[in-house]
Amino acid sequence: MISRRLFLTGTAATAAALTYPAWGSSLSPRAAAAAGTCEIALQNKSLSGSVNAYVTGHEQGTDQWILLRADGTVYHLEEPPAAGTPLPVDCAIPLGAAGSAPVVLTLPQMYGSRVYFVRDDTLDFLVNPGPSLVEPAFSNSADPNYGRTWSFCEFTFNPDQIYSNISYVDLVTGLPIGITLEGDSTHTVAPLPDGALEKIADGLTAQAATDGHPWDKLILRGDDGQVLRVISPQNLGGESFGDVFTSYVDQVWEKYSSEDLTIDLQGGRGVFTGRVSGDTLTFNGGHTFSKPNSMDIFTCNSGPFANNPDDSDEKKGLLARLSAAFNRSTLLTFPDQPNGPTAADYYQDPVTNHWARLLHANTPIGYAFPYDDVQPDGQPDVSGAAFDGNPTRWTVSVGS
């Protein structure tokens, strides 16, 4: 899977290693040190039946895979005898009945992390040599977790802050997750509304009928025919959506061969001007981008948008804002990015990321693509990020 996993230590092990908020947002990272631990409260707000939670990630300082256990201890992944070995310990954290008090544990500093919820079941995790954790696969029908009802949110807790978000970068399910982060202030992100999953699926079906692209193939159904989950385009494969953005990219390249594209890195980090020559968009400072294809745009992490840890912060800031503008299809109408358009201007071109369009039309807030935290100055955040430099309690709930 491809996901905007949150690795904030600079030692990221996946292709989606990004630092928030230095490149995606207009905000700057905190300089003050966060506490070594904070409370994590896991709560079943409204779901009938049983609910289990899992907390996975990499330990800050050692980079080892760890999981929290129901008794509050931290399990460090051990080297397995072979690839695909089942996780040898039970790391399920059973939650109470709907509306009951949360389960409160101590959260250590960890990065590239997730909180999973699964309804009326458990999740199967595997261990590969390294050791590394094999997490549930949402689009592989051979995975034992495929037919189960589960979802997750993402977070990193490092020496500077907790950063968390309701991630829809990869998938949307019928399990609504909400977060509340308490610290210097209180940050709350609302869960998926009732019926949103079905509305998103219906919209994708209609869009496929409109433009002929396989948006409806993003809908995965269970044995009963009901919508199990909806996955993002980046998980369907490059050939499926290979030419979605081709005409739009060609128009952008033509437009900026004769006029300037201006990108503000925000937060006082400079304004850059770009112009196309041939197949290359070049900004002052020598930062260049070749023409992206559709999968480069959907993933924000291949071709000209590949996340190279050796790139300068300037290049990373340009990459974030340029790829966000492509996903939102605002480049033909607004040569000043990201401060020209507002959220009302996103996804208005017939050629756009219709996954992101439909998600934002049917959810209050949440990540729809990896740089959805790019926002115009003075405009509200649409990504559902919650972060704090002095966290005391992070509540993650399931249910509306």
Side-chain angles (χ1 to χ4, degrees), residues 186-384:
T186 299
H187 315 259
T188 299
V189 182
L192 192 76
D194 291 341
L197 180 65
E198 290 73 20
K199 291 178 181 178
I200 293 169
D202 290 345
L204 290 169
T205 299
Q207 187 59 45
T210 298
D211 64 17
H213 294 296
W215 301 100
D216 56 328
K217 302 300 182 185
L218 302 176
I219 306 165
L220 305 182
R221 299 183 182 275
D223 294 337
D224 58 0
Q226 298 300 306
V227 179
L228 181 64
R229 63 184 65 97
V230 182
I231 63 174
S232 63
Q234 61 179 321
N235 294 292
L236 197 59
E239 294 182 2
S240 301
F241 288 96
D243 62 348
V244 167
F245 276 99
T246 300
S247 63
Y248 189 86
V249 172
D250 288 344
Q251 291 177 73
V252 169
W253 247 240
E254 180 179 359
K255 176 181 176 69
Y256 294 111
S257 65
S258 58
E259 65 177 284
D260 289 341
L261 171 62
T262 301
I263 295 183
D264 188 342
L265 297 193
Q266 302 170 278
R269 287 172 289 178
V271 177
F272 288 75
T273 300
R275 185 70 74 94
V276 170
S277 177
D279 285 336
T280 304
L281 171 61
T282 302
F283 289 90
N284 53 294
H287 306 299
T288 62
F289 296 88
S290 59
K291 268 189 174 183
N293 62 34
S294 297
M295 201 50 58
D296 299 334
I297 293 169
F298 285 133
T299 66
C300 304
N301 189 36
S302 62
F305 299 149
N307 291 289
N308 183 346
D310 295 328
D311 284 340
S312 67
D313 283 355
E314 290 179 353
K315 177 68 177 287
K316 292 167 183 172
L318 290 168
L319 187 161
R321 287 153 182 80
L322 186 60
S323 59
F326 267 114
N327 275 281
R328 295 165 175 166
S329 299
T330 58
L331 285 164
L332 293 179
T333 45
F334 293 93
D336 297 320
Q337 295 288 336
N339 289 325
T342 66
D345 302 305
Y346 300 165
Y347 315 114
Q348 296 303 303
D349 195 284
V351 178
T352 194
N353 184 338
H354 289 289
W355 155 266
R357 175 182 67 82
L358 288 163
L359 192 143
H360 282 299
N362 291 286
T363 62
I365 200 163
Y367 266 91
F369 61 88
Y371 287 111
D372 213 1
D373 58 348
V374 170
Q375 64 193 67
D377 290 337
Q379 293 293 311
D381 172 51
V382 300
S383 69

Side-chain angles (χ1 to χ4, degrees), residues 107-178:
L107 183 70
Q109 291 190 1
M110 53 197 295
Y111 67 92
S113 308
R114 286 179 173 171
V115 175
Y116 287 89
F117 295 105
V118 59
R119 187 175 189 177
D120 295 328
D121 216 325
T122 57
L123 291 176
D124 291 329
F125 292 87
L126 304 177
V127 186
N128 280 343
S132 64
L133 189 69
V134 181
E135 297 178 281
F138 46 81
S139 58
N140 178 7
S141 59
D143 188 282
N145 303 292
Y146 178 83
R148 300 167 185 169
T149 303
W150 56 271
S151 192
F152 60 85
C153 70
E154 297 181 330
F155 74 97
T156 277
F157 178 24
N158 68 12
D160 295 323
Q161 63 183 346
I162 278 186
Y163 173 78
S164 60
N165 71 81
I166 304 299
S167 176
Y168 303 125
V169 169
D170 282 316
L171 74 159
V172 176
T173 78
L175 283 186
I177 296 175

Side-chain angles (χ1 to χ4, degrees), residues 44 46-51 95-98 119-120:
N44 174 9
S46 66
L47 300 184
S48 60
S50 66
V51 178
L95 304 188
R119 187 175 189 177
D120 295 328

